[in-house]
Amino acid sequence: GVQTRSYGQRARNAKNPAAKTLLDTMERKKTNLAVSVDVTKSEDLLAIIDAVGPYVCLIKTHIDIVEDFDSTLIAKLQNLERKHDFIYFEDRKFADIGNTVALQYSSGVYKIASWSHITNAHVVPGPSIIKGLASIGLPLGRGLLLLAEMSTAGSLATGSYTEAAVELARQNQDFVIGFIAQRRMEGLGAGPEEASDEDFLILTPGIGLESQGDSMGQQYRTPRTAVLESGSDIIIVGRGIYGSDPKAIDAISGKARRYMEEGWKAYVERLV
Ligand code: BMP
């Protein structure tokens, strides 16, 4: 397995404010669960976030799938953030030139940078995408995740592409706080005997306890495999929690609690 320092120790060393808040929240609430709430009605989005809020460190959104979006939704999301003590990750997967992504991140209908503490980007364009997003996000204390790997069958983000993503992160440690990946890539620090103060968060989607995948290429692994065997820091769970019925709020709370317990147990085992 992969060893790392505790979330609390890592929070104390974190320089990026979003990374620090996230790690502090994980330690305080004893959870490494992020819930991905991919529903199309704002009423369902808010109800699910309210139900899973006690069990998460992070809520992941795809704000552009909400059919009835209006700007009052953001204030409601922020009320839930205060009520339950978590932060937001808008899973925007930016992928354009620096100037364009800066506009997409700051402007338009969603004004992502104004409310989302963390967002992510593909590294296809090279270093300029980080420069563009940092021009908006850094002054606001935001953090960026790079897509180093994907959970889907046949993903092209492997080998030298993944290595190049790690290299880009190393060159931008003020803003890049970690990766979307299936494992802690070799040499990525955060170990107990690690001398360097380099520390990247590994967030892993494609997590499910009951299912192996879906009909569109998604592949699931368990919280235990991701956290204990692969060194992931945060498990991202979507349909495994709300999938059977987005209106069954009690069942959703129960499942979130179960994933939280599985993820935390694997983390505690990794520490010793
Ligand atoms: P689910 O647990 O329902 O399969 O949802 C996974 C979520 O994580 C989706 O929002 C998807 O966009 C995202 N995701 C993923 O599944 N695999 C990746 O490699 C990267 C992702 O962002």
Side-chain angles (χ1 to χ4, degrees):
V2 183
Q3 279 199 308
T4 59
R5 283 169 279 133
S6 74
Y7 297 137
Q9 285 170 303
R10 293 168 65 187
R12 283 190 285 283
N13 292 332
K15 283 169 202 77
N16 176 282
K20 191 178 191 62
T21 304
L22 182 55
L23 284 159
D24 271 331
T25 307
M26 294 164 76
E27 184 76 36
R28 190 169 56 247
K29 290 179 77 177
K30 304 216 175 310
T31 176
N32 53 19
L33 173 65
V35 177
S36 175
V37 194
D38 301 344
V39 294
T40 56
K41 300 272 192 296
S42 56
E43 188 192 335
D44 293 339
L45 177 66
L46 294 165
I48 294 171
I49 295 173
D50 201 19
V52 304
Y55 312 111
V56 301
C57 56
L58 187 68
I59 290 285
K60 186 173 88 60
T61 54
H62 282 299
I63 201 70
D64 60 352
I65 68 175
V66 176
E67 288 167 359
D68 54 352
F69 178 88
D70 69 63
S71 57
T72 66
L73 180 59
I74 298 306
K76 292 172 192 159
L77 291 172
Q78 289 171 326
N79 286 339
L80 290 170
E81 168 193 334
R82 279 187 288 273
K83 176 176 174 188
H84 293 297
D85 183 24
F86 58 71
I87 64 172
Y88 284 108
F89 163 23
E90 164 59 20
D91 185 3
R92 175 61 179 77
K93 295 189 180 70
F94 292 102
D96 212 321
I97 64 166
N99 184 63
T100 300
V101 295
L103 292 167
Q104 291 171 323
Y105 188 26
S106 62
S107 306
V109 174
Y110 302 119
K111 304 182 189 359
I112 294 165
S114 75
W115 56 273
S116 185
H117 309 81
I118 295 173
T119 192
N120 57 356
H122 286 293
V123 293
V124 175
S128 53
I129 191 166
I130 302 173
K131 195 166 186 198
L133 292 169
S135 74
I136 303 298
L138 261 186
L140 295 169
R142 304 312 190 197
L144 183 69
L145 302 168
L146 299 181
L147 283 125
E149 294 180 328
M150 292 196 72
S151 59
T152 37
S155 165
L156 306 183
T158 61
S160 58
Y161 184 90
T162 303
E163 284 166 25
V166 170
E167 201 39 53
L168 284 175
R170 286 199 162 118
Q171 289 158 11
N172 295 277
Q173 291 185 40
D174 50 349
F175 188 47
V176 178
I177 63 171
F179 303 94
I180 299 295
Q182 293 297 304
R183 65 199 159 98
R184 178 165 287 279
M185 286 78 81
E186 296 89 65
L188 263 193
E193 66 296 304
E194 209 64 47
S196 118
D197 62 354
E198 169 181 297
D199 186 2
F200 293 108
L201 287 158
I202 306 295
L203 283 76
T204 302
I207 300 287
L209 284 164
E210 254 121 54
S211 158
Q212 306 296 308
D214 66 14
S215 61
M216 299 184 202
Q218 177 67 297
Q219 306 177 115
Y220 291 121
R221 299 184 306 147
T222 65
R224 188 179 172 81
T225 309
V227 174
L228 184 62
E229 289 169 28
S230 305
S232 170
D233 294 310
I234 295 181
I235 51 170
I236 300 176
V237 186
R239 287 165 290 177
I241 287 177
Y242 66 82
S244 39
D245 179 3
K247 299 276 187 199
I249 288 302
D250 289 346
I252 290 170
S253 295
K255 285 194 182 159
R257 179 196 282 272
R258 173 154 181 241
Y259 276 95
M260 176 191 75
E261 288 169 354
E262 291 284 327
W264 194 259
K265 205 168 67 184
Y267 160 71
V268 169
E269 231 178 284
R270 178 173 98 188
L271 281 181
V272 294

